[in-house]
Amino acid sequence: MTGKKFDYFIKGEKGNWEVIIGLEVHAQVLSKSKLFSSSPTKFGAEPNSQVSLVDCAFPGMLPVINQFCIEQSVKTGLGLKAKINLDSVFDRKNYFYADLPQGYQISQYKNPIVGEGEVILDMSYGTRKIGIERLHLEQDAGKSIHDMDPDNTFVDLNRSGVALMEIVSKPDLRSPDEVNAYIRKLRSIMRYLETCDGNMQEGSLRADVNVSVRKVGEKKFGTRCEIKNVNSIKFMQMAIEYEARRQVELLEDNKQIDQETRLYDTKKNTTRSMRSKEDAHDYRYFPDPDLLPLNLKQSLIDKLKKKLPELPDEKKERFIKEHNLSYYEANILVSEKEISNYYEEVIKGCDKKLASNWITGELFAVLNKKNLSISQSPVSAKNLSTLIKMIISGKISGKIAKDVFEKMQDNDKDPQQIVDKEGLTQESNPKEIEKIISQALSKNKDKVTQYKSGKEKLFGYFVGEVMKISKGKANPQLVNEILKVKLK
Ligand code: ADP
Ligand code: MG
């Protein structure tokens, strides 16, 4: 923690305004088949190739609940430290649209499967606890494609019936930065749990963003607008900035905010009104008569709880305690499941702190430069581990290790082979080092005289000369020790 202060406000002409944000995140359940049918859910398939009779609402077809999707939502609920509701209900949310053949979406309204929970954010000004209101299960709709033909709209029902978890936050977020941290944390938790792949480009994670503003110091919330279906963190942040400013301008003009649903235009970076806010009664919610209420056994919850993997917050605490890492380092190493896996692979039989330095330092520099994710790392965890072990055992110096690391990036080369082939093994034989030191000193007799008459700064110069002659291979610690004796 840097102790920086929270300082995000919208500065209006009549004072500072606080921004209040609540998110409804739609996370696609990681599942091979849909919520109420056995159709596959693969991304990018030929349009309408993954549609069963249930998904296209053939008369008389009945939904059959996918037990795996239920377990995925329970796991996600547990990961959010949330209350799991043993009794929940599937409701019909009725509306008409061409990509919704049923004429209703099966969702959960009054009795969701998961109740209140929380997500912890690490901000530069401290940790923030963001409340989760609920998580409910629902079906996705199909997709209307308006831009393929000037005269026709096409409908692709591949997504129709795919299971979504809608995760509703309390209005606890206060800035675009916090929204960024929240989405990343939520995504990370679900990826650890393997309940959602979090792939925003493929639409596995989207959010409706609710925004309102109030004068700093005021207690009452202002009227909110909901920006629908934003599918990138950057767009969420830009939409919030724009929307909050729009609301501040209206309020400072003594106009009022209409509670409405708005669309974010990514090209113009503006939001525009789509419709006035619909109320629950507009949807005529009622329990779906085709589905029984969902009753879960406590034993199932307990079983899933036992199998839960270690999640980022707990892993971070453990890394700090067991591996002596700083809060900052631990936070980076647990931020993504793949990074923590990589780290845990590297530290097998290896120094934990040094491994962390290498990963967050050298390796991340390379990944950033080449714009790669950790799973695309040109150096495998196994080989990085070998390299670090060679430093610890004294086989190579830290400096040589950096050169070797550079060469390893060519197709994940084995560091052992590079060192053997190029004869880079560190020289740690005192006799050999003495020889090199003698060479260095006899080459620089005048400087030795200067040193002995008090110019002690020259010590570093001699070390440099020795390293040069040994091509960087002399053990620096021994060079220091022996050189001191020699120069007495
Ligand atoms: P719906 O949009 O379906 O009516 P809710 O009333 O549960 O659903 O609220 C949806 C979201 O709006 C929640 O994430 C909540 O935190 C957020 N929200 C509620 N009031 C405000 C407000 N005044 N400003 C910003 N967000 C809000
Ligand atoms: Mg809503």
Side-chain angles (χ1 to χ4, degrees):
M1 300 282 130
T2 63
K4 251 175 61 182
K5 261 176 53 197
F6 175 80
D7 64 355
Y8 183 82
F9 300 109
I10 300 283
K11 287 174 190 55
E13 275 166 16
K14 300 180 184 166
N16 283 345
W17 296 77
E18 191 181 15
V19 183
I20 311 290
I21 309 149
L23 294 189
E24 296 160 88
V25 168
H26 298 265
Q28 182 174 335
V29 176
L30 199 57
S31 158
K32 289 206 173 93
S33 48
K34 296 185 182 178
L35 184 53
F36 298 112
S37 83
S38 57
S39 313
T41 58
K42 264 206 212 84
F43 177 78
E46 183 76 9
N48 296 309
S49 64
Q50 304 187 146
V51 186
S52 72
L53 294 177
V54 178
D55 309 324
C56 61
F58 242 60
M61 299 309 296
L62 289 173
V64 178
I65 185 82
N66 178 342
Q67 172 73 17
F68 182 70
C69 292
I70 303 286
E71 293 184 9
Q72 291 288 65
S73 331
V74 171
K75 271 163 65 182
T76 307
L78 292 172
L80 300 175
K81 313 267 182 280
K83 179 173 182 291
I84 309 298
N85 295 323
L86 294 179
D87 302 305
S88 68
V89 175
F90 285 105
D91 296 289
R92 290 188 180 178
K93 181 181 182 181
N94 300 278
Y95 65 93
F96 173 81
Y97 208 78
D99 55 24
L100 186 77
Q102 282 174 153
Y104 57 84
Q105 175 194 29
I106 305 180
S107 180
Q108 296 189 302
Y109 178 48
K110 285 217 172 100
N111 301 289
I113 184 165
V114 175
E116 291 187 329
E118 66 186 40
V119 171
I120 307 291
L121 309 184
D122 290 298
M123 306 304 295
S124 59
Y125 39 87
T127 50
R128 290 262 292 126
K129 190 189 282 188
I130 306 301
I132 297 292
E133 181 73 45
R134 58 190 271 155
L135 175 158
H136 66 252
L137 264 170
E138 62 184 31
Q139 310 173 288
D140 205 351
K143 198 165 114 192
S144 299
I145 304 161
H146 304 291
D147 55 4
M148 264 176 71
D149 185 289
D151 301 321
N152 294 293
T153 287
F154 297 102
V155 174
D156 174 9
L157 292 181
N158 279 353
R159 291 196 77 104
S160 170
V162 164
L164 302 177
M165 299 179 277
E166 176 167 334
I167 303 166
V168 183
S169 85
K170 303 213 168 173
D172 287 348
L173 296 156
R174 292 290 177 269
S175 72
D177 268 355
E178 290 191 355
V179 167
N180 178 13
Y182 174 77
I183 296 279
R184 284 177 194 279
K185 188 63 175 283
L186 196 59
R187 182 170 174 268
S188 165
I189 291 172
M190 292 191 289
R191 287 173 58 90
Y192 269 79
L193 291 165
E194 295 179 15
T195 56
C196 170
D197 68 20
N199 192 330
M200 298 187 84
Q201 274 113 32
E202 295 181 2
S204 308
L205 202 70
R206 298 165 273 163
D208 299 342
V209 185
N210 295 270
V211 181
S212 69
V213 297
R214 68 179 171 193
K215 273 267 179 65
V216 169
E218 224 166 86
K219 288 272 175 306
K220 231 178 107 219
F221 284 147
T223 305
R224 74 181 144 117
C225 287
E226 176 175 346
I227 309 159
K228 272 281 176 215
N229 231 344
V230 193
N231 66 354
S232 98
I233 294 178
K234 200 170 134 243
F235 288 149
M236 285 178 209
Q237 294 183 296
M238 286 163 68
I240 291 164
E241 285 263 5
Y242 174 86
E243 179 59 21
R245 273 174 215 287
R246 186 187 74 88
Q247 293 183 11
V248 167
E249 271 171 34
L250 281 172
L251 291 171
E252 290 200 335
D253 255 7
N254 291 321
K255 297 193 177 116
Q256 61 170 22
I257 311 288
D258 295 324
Q259 185 167 339
E260 59 185 359
T261 303
R262 300 179 69 85
L263 272 184
Y264 178 63
D265 184 326
T266 55
K267 294 205 182 80
K268 296 197 197 123
N269 184 29
T270 57
T271 63
R272 67 184 145 85
S273 182
M274 183 160 110
R275 57 178 184 246
S276 68
K277 172 86 181 117
E278 66 287 347
D279 280 316
H281 63 250
D282 295 327
Y283 289 115
R284 303 287 189 274
Y285 277 101
F286 65 87
D288 191 314
D290 288 341
L291 288 157
L292 289 169
L294 190 62
N295 303 121
L296 303 177
K297 290 211 182 78
Q298 186 59 43
S299 57
L300 173 74
I301 318 287
D302 296 340
K303 192 186 92 189
L304 293 171
K305 208 177 215 164
K306 261 199 210 124
K307 284 200 299 195
L308 231 48
E310 186 180 38
L311 292 171
D313 287 337
E314 289 103 59
K315 209 182 262 297
K316 177 171 66 195
E317 291 307 316
R318 186 168 63 80
F319 281 0
I320 293 171
K321 249 199 240 135
E322 289 180 7
H323 303 338
N324 195 24
L325 303 186
S326 70
Y327 189 87
Y328 174 76
E329 282 173 295
N331 233 345
I332 297 178
L333 292 172
V334 305
S335 63
E336 280 174 43
K337 185 181 175 183
E338 290 74 15
I339 298 176
S340 75
N341 286 348
Y342 189 98
Y343 172 68
E344 294 194 282
E345 177 76 28
V346 172
I347 59 175
K348 282 181 189 155
C350 186
D351 185 84
K352 322 286 186 263
K353 185 83 183 172
L354 196 53
S356 162
N357 290 348
W358 270 86
I359 294 172
T360 57
E362 308 297 320
L363 181 69
F364 276 16
V366 171
L367 297 181
N368 281 340
K369 205 171 99 197
K370 301 190 173 166
N371 200 12
L372 298 174
S373 72
I374 191 105
S375 2
Q376 301 163 313
S377 169
V379 174
S380 65
K382 188 169 152 273
N383 279 340
L384 181 57
S385 189
T386 310
L387 179 73
I388 297 171
K389 280 175 203 146
M390 287 197 281
I391 305 171
I392 299 168
S393 71
K395 181 158 186 192
I396 56 172
S397 67
K399 193 167 171 299
I400 293 275
K402 293 199 174 158
D403 299 338
V404 176
F405 183 68
E406 186 80 36
K407 292 178 178 147
M408 289 162 70
Q409 289 163 39
D410 175 17
N411 241 328
D412 196 24
K413 270 214 187 94
D414 181 349
Q416 195 91 47
Q417 271 177 17
I418 299 173
V419 169
D420 291 347
K421 202 169 134 209
E422 305 193 10
L424 297 174
T425 307
Q426 178 163 258
E427 184 53 74
S428 293
N429 179 344
K431 290 238 167 64
E432 290 301 319
I433 291 183
E434 253 188 81
K435 268 191 217 157
I436 303 171
I437 289 179
S438 300
Q439 267 182 51
L441 296 185
S442 60
K443 242 178 74 186
N444 292 286
K445 287 209 177 93
D446 48 334
K447 292 216 168 61
V448 175
T449 320
Q450 286 173 25
Y451 178 87
K452 288 193 173 160
S453 60
K455 207 171 168 193
E456 293 191 355
K457 271 199 302 202
L458 281 169
F459 191 82
Y461 173 79
F462 297 131
V463 174
E465 284 294 285
V466 174
M467 292 316 266
K468 226 191 269 166
I469 297 174
S470 75
K471 299 204 175 72
K473 288 187 289 186
N475 180 323
Q477 208 183 332
L478 282 177
V479 170
N480 265 290
E481 285 167 18
I482 300 173
L483 197 55
K484 260 184 213 147
V485 179
K486 284 265 177 190
L487 283 171
K488 266 227 174 101

